Amino acid sequence: MAAKATIQIFPDVNHLRYFALFFLLSCHVASGDEGTWELLLPNVGISAMHSQLLHNDRVIMYDRTNFGPSNISLPNGACHNSPDDPVSTTDCTAHSVEYDVALNRIRPLTVQSNTWCSSGGVTPDGTLQQTGGDKDGERKVRLFAPCHDNICDWTEVDNGLAARRWYATNHVLPDGRQIIIGGRGQFNFEFFPKTNAPNLYTLPFLSETNDPDENNLYPYVFLNTDGNLFIFANNRAILLDYSRNTVVKTYPEIPGGDPRSYPSTGSAVLLPIKNLVLEVLVCGGAPKGSFDLSQRRNTFVKALDTCARININDVNPQWIVEKMPRARVMGDMLLLPDGNVLLINGGGSGTAAWELGREPVLNPDIYHPDKPVGLRFEAQNPSKIPRMYHSTATLLRDGRVLVGGSNPHAFYNFTGVLFPTELRLEAFSPSYLDPKYSSIRPSIVDPRPQSTINYGRILRLRYTVTGRVKNPVKVTMLFPSFTTHSFSMHQRLLVLDHVISFRLGISRIYEVRVRTPSSPILAPPGYYMVFVVNQDIPSEGVWVRLQ
């Protein structure tokens, strides 16, 4: 059905071309017992609606402040006055926590205003910068500077934003600032830290993509190699010169025209950058009208089962549509250190928003970007825990994926509902972490963690391997993403240009030399995880600071 509808929207001259593309949609899906799941903690106290890995290997998670008490108390018996809370105006519980990956332990944090459906990302010095929310938090900026002594906590900047930011998207820029784009009723963008006044710029594309169900919230934003921003909302995209507020390129609709943005929530990634080629992959979503049918008629339409891929710098860029192994809405997409893409979480029908998703999708899928169309998907072992609306997934430095959240209710609700509020925290281990690969798994010994590297230089990495090394090994460099509502903001993986690889004498120590990114346009400044990949098996990452 989807394929027929898609072909019909193109002129006759293109029919044959798109028929050939859709002929490949009946893809072969590799299957088997790939990937493993582990329950890390049975109760982290909150439902992880937002998640960010920091360079001290702690993960900050939070939900919202105005829907009653959570399941974890604030430290030292503290309480917070919440006049806008419809459940409790005095709240002695935390709505943000810090997860220590190494110790598998939670520490409660204090947020003073409502962070519901907000956005964020890390600054060049590693501080988590979080923006917006609802009601008393809609124009707040919140900062969390990482620490090792367990005394750091949130600070707030009142009126840090020029406009209300609720369901907005952030992206780090080459100068280290963040641009904040859109949000409910906001067809504009701004910067933080603020530029010279004015700091609010109209973006008509957001109003043009705003349909009766909205379907343009949490737009997908990626930094191009020319310094402009690729912005996707609903079913199409533009390339924006944000410094001049000028649209320099308009991309076609995804074939079929179905929405992929909130609440018809799909997900998107910028595929691994190599040889300066930039491709965007958008997967899942919901057919037109699904939100209205779910909300008003209690009819839950099957989610989209396609991905669309585009080379954003082609002279005549076109979307190539591929069929997924299964329909998915509200799924997360993460770049893995080996250069593949993980699709995880979500439902098989309905849409995002309270109570509107159905048919939990328990199986993750791996997408292999470099394989031929039709052979790119590999099914993974399922979880036992539904992860519906307000779920998150975060890549850790050791290669595991942290999975939490799921709360499709207006409040915490644990009984008498289809999908109870979820407080459990899991880890998914892709097959590259299988012990059978331990002999070929690299272990980086140099550079030391937290080293500083510079642009346009030769980076020397030394690593050990007990088994065979197949040269050239691959070195990848990944910016840690801020994840909420099925989109991982700032997510960016670079495959660094290889210079030389060799073994040091008769030892089991090897050296690979690669070129660091040439400029902040290719890789904005900040902390990255660097991995050595041998025969598709990545090392544990090491944090470096690019400046």
Side-chain angles (χ1 to χ4, degrees), residues 78 104 148 160 252 303 315 325 392 508 518:
N104 193 35
H148 291 280
V315 175
T392 53
R508 285 288 179 183
S518 58

Side-chain angles (χ1 to χ4, degrees), residues 444-458:
I444 297 174
V445 295
D446 187 53
R448 302 280 297 171
Q450 312 292 330
S451 296
T452 296
I453 62 175
N454 300 112
Y455 289 98
R457 304 291 179 85
I458 299 298

Side-chain angles (χ1 to χ4, degrees), residues 255-535:
D258 287 315
R260 310 275 181 157
S261 302
Y262 182 95
S264 298
T265 304
S267 190
V269 293
L270 179 68
L271 290 176
I273 301 170
K274 48 189 174 182
N275 303 320
L276 298 182
V277 174
L278 268 71
E279 293 183 275
V280 169
L281 181 71
V282 180
C283 292
K288 291 178 182 177
S290 294
F291 177 75
D292 185 67
L293 287 170
S294 298
Q295 186 180 51
R296 299 181 186 276
R297 302 185 190 180
N298 209 36
T299 299
F300 305 99
V301 178
K302 196 73 174 176
L304 299 178
D305 63 355
T306 57
C307 295
R309 180 170 167 173
I310 192 169
N311 184 329
I312 68 175
N313 291 320
D314 270 356
V315 175
N316 182 29
Q318 298 293 325
W319 295 97
I320 297 177
V321 178
E322 305 175 51
K323 192 173 180 66
M324 297 193 292
R326 64 198 93 247
R328 196 183 296 262
V329 63
M330 300 179 290
D332 286 281
M333 294 174 68
L334 289 180
L335 297 170
L336 298 177
D338 61 357
N340 293 325
V341 181
L342 177 69
L343 290 78
I344 196 167
N345 299 338
S349 62
T351 67
W354 292 331
E355 320 294 347
L356 299 188
R358 294 294 186 273
E359 301 180 49
V361 179
L362 301 177
N363 291 82
D365 294 299
I366 300 285
Y367 178 86
H368 299 266
D370 296 332
K371 289 188 176 181
V373 176
L375 299 174
R376 289 175 173 164
F377 287 97
E378 180 183 8
Q380 304 292 291
N381 276 325
S383 171
K384 297 179 181 178
I385 301 175
R387 301 288 183 178
M388 303 295 282
Y389 185 46
H390 289 150
S391 300
T392 53
T394 303
L395 179 74
L396 301 177
R397 187 172 56 84
D398 60 18
R400 294 178 298 162
V401 174
L402 194 69
V403 181
S406 187
N407 185 21
H409 316 294
F411 305 102
Y412 279 1
N413 201 334
F414 301 101
T415 59
V417 291
L418 195 57
F419 305 113
T421 301
E422 189 56 67
L423 305 182
R424 287 174 286 183
L425 190 67
E426 294 178 285
F428 174 72
S429 295
S431 57
Y432 56 60
L433 292 174
D434 193 302
K436 68 184 179 184
Y437 298 120
S438 59
S439 66
I440 59 173
R441 180 171 295 111
S443 178
I444 297 174
V445 295
D446 187 53
R448 302 280 297 171
Q450 312 292 330
S451 296
T452 296
I453 62 175
N454 300 112
Y455 289 98
R457 304 291 179 85
I458 299 298
L459 174 63
R460 182 188 72 183
L461 296 105
R462 289 183 176 176
Y463 61 96
T464 60
V465 174
T466 59
R468 179 172 176 261
V469 172
K470 185 177 180 181
N471 281 317
V473 295
K474 182 166 65 176
V475 176
T476 59
M477 182 173 165
L478 181 64
F479 194 91
S481 57
F482 176 94
T483 301
T484 190
H485 290 75
S486 301
F487 183 52
S488 291
M489 304 174 194
H490 321 278
Q491 190 171 207
R492 195 174 191 87
L493 185 144
L494 298 98
V495 180
L496 300 185
D497 291 341
H498 180 266
V499 176
I500 191 171
S501 299
F502 54 91
R503 182 172 174 174
L504 299 177
I506 60 172
S507 70
R508 285 288 179 183
I509 299 177
Y510 298 81
E511 183 171 309
V512 57
R513 296 178 186 176
V514 292
R515 290 186 177 89
T516 60
S518 58
S519 80
I521 294 176
L522 190 58
Y527 284 91
Y528 288 76
M529 293 176 281
V530 173
F531 303 86
V532 173
V533 184
N534 176 37
Q535 301 179 65

